[in-house]
Amino acid sequence: MTGPEATELDAARLASVISPLRRTLLAAARAAEHLPEIPDAQIEIVRALPRGTVSGPGELAGRLRLSRSTVSNLLTTMEGKGLVERRPRPGNHRHVEVLATPKALDLFDRFDLASGDLVARAAATLPAADRAALAAAVPALERLRDALAQDKDAP
């Protein structure tokens, strides 16, 4: 394709590819690593608690744009599954801090490695021009993700 239509973004087509691609990759990585199903909201909480970090439930709720009661319920379920730990905040025992457990971090490390391997293997089957287009698209997709996150944060 040449001319102006070559640079026109078919936003609806892109959106219709992203969600099924994500679900397909998630299912394939789970199967490859024999990982348990973890609901998206719980995945978001673990992703918001990188290794070595802690956060208060209210801070998590604000960052993820969820209600405090929703986060509290999610944390209770996740604590029961051994994915997060709640402990008194040092210096203020009336508040708690939350951290991802080693079990959760291990599951996510395994998922991330499996996902990367699956994408690399699938991409290797594509023509060189497609692999180059995917490589070139990654920074733009990261910026698109960030722009969507900013829109989500707008009042």
Side-chain angles (χ1 to χ4, degrees):
M1 199 184 306
T2 59
E5 63 275 359
T7 58
E8 295 265 337
L9 174 65
D10 185 341
R13 184 174 178 198
L14 178 59
S16 74
V17 169
I18 289 174
S19 186
L21 175 63
R22 183 183 164 284
R23 282 194 308 273
T24 301
L25 181 58
L26 183 61
R30 277 185 185 140
E33 282 295 311
H34 309 290
L35 297 169
E37 280 199 39
I38 300 173
D40 283 348
Q42 292 181 18
I43 290 171
E44 285 188 52
I45 286 180
V46 174
R47 293 280 186 212
L49 295 168
R51 190 176 309 277
T53 66
V54 297
S55 185
E59 296 162 326
L60 283 171
R63 198 170 335 137
L64 299 174
R65 299 188 56 91
L66 297 170
S67 73
R68 285 177 175 247
S69 62
T70 297
V71 169
S72 179
N73 290 337
L74 286 166
L75 292 175
T76 297
T77 300
M78 294 173 73
E79 195 170 28
K81 292 179 180 180
L83 299 175
V84 296
E85 178 184 330
R86 288 188 273 197
R87 62 185 185 201
R89 181 167 274 167
N92 187 347
H93 293 288
R94 292 181 300 139
H95 292 96
V96 297
E97 59 186 20
V98 181
L99 65 151
T101 63
K103 174 185 175 179
L105 296 170
D106 175 63
L107 288 172
F108 280 79
D109 287 347
R110 289 173 45 209
F111 172 78
D112 290 343
L113 285 172
S115 295
D117 289 346
L118 288 164
V119 169
R121 281 200 310 269
T125 69
L126 300 175
D130 285 353
R131 289 193 310 273
L134 288 170
V138 171
L141 289 170
E142 289 170 337
R143 289 187 298 274
L144 178 61
R145 175 204 59 211
D146 294 346
L148 288 167
Q150 285 178 348
D151 282 353
K152 181 177 154 186
D153 293 338

